[in-house]
Amino acid sequence: MPRFYARRRLSVAAAATALISSVALFNAPTASAALPTPVSGATARSYLASLTVATEDRTGYNRDLFPHWITQSGSCNTREVVLKRDGTNVQQDSSCAATSGSWYSPYDGATWSAASDVDIDHLVPLAEAWDSGADSWTTSRRQSFANDLTRPQLIAVTDNVNQAKGDQDPATWMPSRTTYRCTYVRAWVQVKYYYGLSVDSAEKSALTNYLASC
C-alpha cells in the first residue's frame, strides 16, 4: 500500500474530513506516473557505450538559461500537462491549474492529493545537462530539453524528494524504491543519448552497474 501524507496542521473538523479523504484515497486505484516508456536495458547499455566520457563543466549554470514550463496548448503549461498525465482523476480549472486528484511518486512510493506537494522532476537535471554539454546549446534547444514531453525526462514526484535529488547524477543519488531504479537509469541514458550529453567517469560506472541487472 502506498504511503499517504498530509502536511498541514488541521482543526478537529478538518482532520475528520482529511481522514475520510485519506480512506477514500487508500481504497482508490493507485495512481501511477506515466513517464514515457524508456528504451530497453539492452538499448540503454548500447547507448551508454557510445556516450562521451568527460569531466563536467561546473561553471556558469543559471536556471533561467533553460526556459521552462512554457505554454503547451491553450492555457496549459508543461507542469500542468505533466500533472494531468501523471495523476489519477485530475480535475483542472479554467486556467488549467489542478484543483483535485492524486499523484503517486515512483521515486519513494508516496501518494499525494494536493498538486502543491508534487514537483515535476527533470529526470536529467538542468544543471547536470549544463555541465554535460548544454552550455554550448542555443536557448531554443535548452527550452526544448526543459519541456520535453516526448522523451522520459519529466515526471511528477514528491516535492522534497526532488529537492533532495537536486542536480545529482546516479553516482550519488537514486530513487529509494529499488524496483524503479532500472526504469530510472534507462530513462537517464536515453535522454543523455538523444541530446548528445556526456557522462563523467563516476556516472558511467554507476550507470553500467545498474544497467547490468536491467
Side-chain angles (χ1 to χ4, degrees):
M1 179 178 292
R3 290 171 286 154
F4 182 76
Y5 299 86
R7 290 185 171 170
R8 297 169 179 79
R9 293 184 178 180
L10 304 173
S11 66
V12 173
T17 300
L19 178 59
I20 293 170
S21 298
S22 297
V23 170
L25 183 56
F26 274 128
N27 292 333
T30 299
S32 87
L35 184 78
T37 302
V39 296
S40 68
T43 298
R45 288 190 288 272
S46 174
Y47 284 177
L48 179 60
S50 73
L51 295 182
T52 298
V53 178
T55 301
E56 292 183 349
D57 174 12
R58 289 281 180 175
T59 62
Y61 168 70
N62 185 323
R63 189 173 177 84
D64 291 340
L65 295 170
F66 292 80
H68 55 286
W69 306 164
I70 62 171
T71 299
Q72 292 290 341
S73 64
S75 58
C76 299
N77 67 27
T78 307
R79 171 181 164 82
E80 292 155 349
V81 169
V82 178
L83 284 173
K84 178 72 170 178
R85 182 198 71 185
D86 288 5
T88 294
N89 298 324
V90 177
Q91 300 298 314
Q92 297 171 304
D93 63 20
S94 59
S95 65
C96 208
T99 57
S100 64
S102 63
W103 291 268
Y104 173 76
S105 169
Y107 287 0
D108 58 335
T111 297
W112 301 98
S113 61
S116 59
D117 288 328
V118 178
D119 276 357
I120 307 305
D121 180 37
H122 289 96
L123 194 138
V124 174
L126 303 182
E128 168 68 22
W130 177 269
D131 296 341
S132 305
D135 55 343
S136 66
W137 291 355
T138 62
T139 299
S140 176
R141 184 162 178 79
R142 287 194 287 266
Q143 176 175 293
S144 295
F145 177 84
N147 298 275
D148 191 345
L149 295 168
T150 303
R151 262 62 55 181
Q153 165 66 347
L154 298 174
I155 186 170
V157 298
T158 302
D159 55 1
N160 59 4
V161 171
N162 181 50
Q163 292 151 22
K165 171 187 171 181
D167 64 356
Q168 297 180 82
D169 68 34
T172 56
W173 189 92
M174 286 290 285
S176 60
R177 284 184 65 243
T178 57
T179 55
Y180 198 71
R181 291 178 176 178
C182 180
T183 299
Y184 186 81
V185 294
R186 285 158 45 214
W188 183 283
V189 171
Q190 180 180 347
V191 171
K192 283 221 157 179
Y193 177 83
Y194 179 83
Y195 284 98
L197 296 170
S198 63
V199 290
D200 64 39
S201 57
E203 177 187 356
K204 182 171 183 177
S205 178
L207 290 166
T208 298
N209 290 338
Y210 285 115
L211 284 171
S213 60
C214 289

